[in-house]
Structure formats: C-alpha cells, structure tokens
Amino acid sequence: MSKMDEIFQTRLERHHDELKWLYMELYDNDSMFAELCTNLYRFYKERRRQLKTRDKEREKNPEWFRKNDMLGMMLYIDQFAGNLKGVKEKLSYLEACQVNCIHLMPFLDSPKEHSDGGYAVADFRKVRADLGTMEDLSELADVCHQKGMNLCMDFVMNHTSEEHEWAVRARKGEGEYMSRYFFYDNQDIPERYEQTVPQVFPTTAPGNFTYLPEIGHYVMTTFYPYQWDLNYGNPRVFNEMMYHFLFFANQGMDIIRIDAVPYIWKELGTSCRNLPQVHSIVRMMRMIGEIVCPSVLLLGEVVMEPEKVVPYFGTVEKPECHMLYNVTTMASTWNCVATKDIRLLKRQMEAVNQLPSAYTFLNYLRCHDDIGWGLDYGFLAQWEMWEAPHKRFLNDYFTGKIPGSVSRGELYNDDPVTQDARFCATTASMCGIESAQETNDPDALQAAIHLDIMLHAYMLTQSGIPMLYSGDEIGQINDYSYKNDPDKASDSRYLHRGKFRWDLAEKRKAKESVQGRVFGALNELERIRRLERVFEASADVWTYDVHNNAILCIVREQAGERFFGIFNFADRPETAWMREEGGYTELLTGKKMELVDIVIPRYGFYWLKKEN
Ligand code: GLC
C-alpha cells in the first residue's frame, strides 16, 4: 500500500492485529486479507468529505445516537412516497412526526415475483428501477443529514436472490460461483442438515434446500427457495459482502441493519444459528466500519430469545453491534395486551434493565415482520401456562376469535406439525381500532385509541431507541388488498405492509379524528421525551411493584430527577397500590398529583415527574 492517509492508518493500526487474527482463523488466506485491507483504504479514499466530517464528529462523541431525541420510523419507499425522490419531498411530514432516523425498507434490485419484500437482492449496486437510482439515495442521505436526520438500510447478507449474477453463474455450473453458495450433487448432506436445522417458513417454504433439476444439484435455501444462502466459509464471499457494506456507508447510510445475521454461518450437525463464527464475522464488520466509516452504526436483526440476542453486543473491549432489537420485550408486551397480566413483561423488563446500560436496544411495537410468540415459557409454567396452548390462545385472541377480543389480524406460517403459528396485523388493528370502526361503536373506538396511545407511551418509556412503524402514527389499520396480488397473496405479512394512507394522514389535523388523536398524543409524548432529562439514556430504570397485575410501573431516575410511568393494561379502571413521598406533576396534563393509590382509567397511563 502506498503512503496512507494518517487518519486511516491510525484507525487501521488500532484494529489490524485483531482483524487479521480473526480473518486468519476463519480463512487462513494472506492474499485475501491483503486484498481486503487495500479495499478498505480505497473505500476510505472514496468517502465524501461531508461523511468524513461526520465520522470525525461521531468518533469524538461515540454516544451520539444514545440520545432521548432519537426517534426512528421504518417505512417502505413505494408504499410511503412512490420512490426515493418522493421520500425526499415527504421529509417535512417525517419532521412533523419528530422522526430523525428513517429506516428505508429494502430497496435494492430484486425480482418482482420473488422478492420477499426486497429481501432477495439481485444486484447490491442497483436500486430497484421503480424506486430510483443510487444517486437518488445519496442525495436523500445528504438532505437528511442537512436536516439532522439519519438513514438506515437493510443489508441482506445471509443470501442473494437466485437472479444475482453469482447465482446465475452457479446455476450454469461454474465452480467458482457454486463455491459461494452451498451446492450438493446428492441428498446425503442436505438430509443430514435437515435433521438439526429448524425451518424458518415451515408452510410457505418448507425445508432448507431446493433442488435445481437443470444441474442436478441441491442448493441451501434457509428462507425462500429463491433466496440462496451465501457461503461465508469462502473468503471471496466475505470480502465482496464487506465491499458492499462499505459502498452503502459511502452512499451516506448512518445505520446498517444486518438482516438475519444469526444465520450466516452453517455447520453440519448444528442448528446453523448463532454459531461462534457469526460473532467473528460481526466483530470483523464492526472493526471494518470503525476503520473506514466510524460514523456508521450496526443494527443487528436477531429475532431470538434474550440469551441469544445479548452476545451480539459483544464485549466492552470487543463490541459487535451498536444496537439490537428488543424483540422479547415486544412479544411480551402483546402477551400482556391479551392476558391483561403484566407479570411476564415486568420480569422481561427487569432482565433488560439489569444489562449494562451501554447496551442499546431498539424498542418497537410492530415492524414489517410477523410477531413470533417467543416468550419465557419456563416462567409462565408456574401458572400452568404451557407453550402450545398459550400460543394458541394468543393467536385466537389476536385474530379476534375469543369473545371480548377486539383485535383483528391473520396467522403467519401456521405450521400444522408444530402448531407454531405467528401473527400479523398493525398496532391499530391489534388494539381494536379496526373492529370498532367496523361495528361503528364509539365507546369501543375510544378504548382502542387509548390502548394504542398507552402502548406507545410505554414504549417511549423503555430505555433505548424507539422505532415507529410507518402508519402507526395515524392508527392505520390492516390492508387486505395483498390478497389480490398473486406475488404477495401467500405471505400474510403484507397485511401490515399496505400503502401509507395520505388521505387519512391529512385528517390528523382534525383533533377529534382517530388520526388526530393518535398523532396528537404521540407527538406530545415525543416532545416531552426529548425535553425531559429523565428520558436520557444514562438514566437508572427499574420496574416498581404496584400490587396489581394489570398495571405496569416503570421508574426512571436521572440527575436527582424522578419519574414514574404507570400503565393500565386492563379494559377497566384499576388501582396502582402505592405510597410515595412528595408531589408529582403529570407531564401531559400538567396536573399535580400525589402518588398514593392512584386509580387509572381503562387502558390509561400517567407520566409523573417528581417536583423538586
Ligand atoms: C429478515 C427480514 C424478513 C425476511 C428475512 C429473510 O428476517 O426481517 O422480512 O423475510 O430476513 O431475508
């Protein structure tokens, strides 16, 4: 390498030995490692000046993203605004939502009929034609940055589309490309894998392999048959995927969501999930980012139980992801909506609150995927709530089959063998807004709106970064039109991936409309959240027992200020049995209150701050 820039050199030196160590452990290949380093420098050189400035600022302030004004929203470019240029035009709406971090759902070139919502990438360097161009993307990033906003994108690294150039060449029998995937010329090894590897889509895409008759080979396809798993045992795959990652960093992305990361390493005789090599790869990615583009964050998509999620933060000395989804808390929240019993959620929150405060979780109620009922069944067993019947109860409850349930939605991958169905719907439909509108019942609508707002208030009280799902800010309900689209009809996740309803969004200006009430309340909560110090990331947070299983109480304390968030999950008024000294102010109404046996209306909540 010729004379290197000093900044790059310093950063490389900091990580070189560890990076090389991990690389050699996996690949034992000096020339590929040298190639990687040469390319890191190339991407660094190519990085725009503004982005390098951003790198320097954020290196000085690595906690920049752990701020109580951070608010994310995930959205589909086409459903929200047609294309990337459209998103640029709609930034003022997102600003009105106080959103400063936009997660653009997959937008890279992907075959229309076989796209898995964009998670089957055919070309990592090309934006899907109807959404715009790579220039539109970097232009959007620039405008966002000028407005103090961040951009997040998916990096689908576990697999490519079968139409990706590598896959096309592999299908032609080119050995070099076959070695970038998992190819087998007979059933032996695939069958041995099937014995230990669970299925991701048991009904819509059973099995983990797909037979390709034209070349008489089986190829590994953990997800859909058209999503071919990449072989990270091949250093060419690792290097090329890192170049893609850096390419996107150089387009101005601030956050890279590493999709389905637990799956990226395969080993016969294992579950092919969360293997130690996955952590080596994520750690290398973290170092590569810190060398070339230190302002860019890694958000790991690890939809697993807590013991599997937390290791993806790495250690203090050797961090991996900057942020991870708070997935079990999310599922436990909906469990609490169905059972009106907060004990499991409280326990889950206690577990999260005990983790080092440097761990940053992304909190959410809904996202583009289904909800899997991954709860702590060991804990529920003490009340004789067993996994299979409880999952059935949750699915019956949320599909509205149980008397008194106001939720609407559909099952996802209802596996006849394990009976392990997951669930799809929007927050508003799960809260009862859809059913109340159907029956034209103003009281039910009122309750549904309160539940929806209360859940958001609770989500905004958790430690970490809140991520809204586009449409939730106006209480958008399920969209059943996907059933008419043959490319989507078999995947019920499209139920909550409908077009953003700008006509309804307009109604947010009418205070009494559903949209006005949800939008207005969320806006006020977000405003308070960014102003009050108790919401700072370094606050101490714990749950507080109010001797009522329907009420969750969260305390936050920061710099001598104390806050109580009290949330009633029951559909009737309930009392929080408590006695705390001093006067409190309710932050939304400004009302003075005492913390003595407070009665909370159905689905109500209070945000109370102690007066000094
Ligand atoms: C992730 C995505 C999901 C997709 C899968 C396969 O889990 O969130 O939508 O189907 O990866 O790429």
Side-chain angles (χ1 to χ4, degrees), residues 76 105-106 115-120 154 156-159 200-201 223-224 227 257 259-261 263 301 303 367-370 412 491 493 497:
Y76 283 93
M105 297 306 290
S115 86
D116 184 22
Y119 287 98
D154 282 87
V156 187
M157 65 184 295
N158 177 67
H159 42 257
V200 181
F201 299 139
F223 291 85
Y224 282 111
Q227 288 164 315
R257 174 189 183 272
D259 180 62
V261 63
Y263 300 81
E301 192 225 2
V303 180
C367 71
H368 69 298
D369 277 332
D370 48 294
Y412 177 68
D491 193 331
R493 290 177 299 176
R497 296 177 182 175

Side-chain angles (χ1 to χ4, degrees), residues 105 169 185 196 342 492 509 528:
M105 297 306 290
R169 298 183 73 165
D185 61 5
T196 55
I342 57 98
S492 52
K509 293 166 189 157
I528 294 170

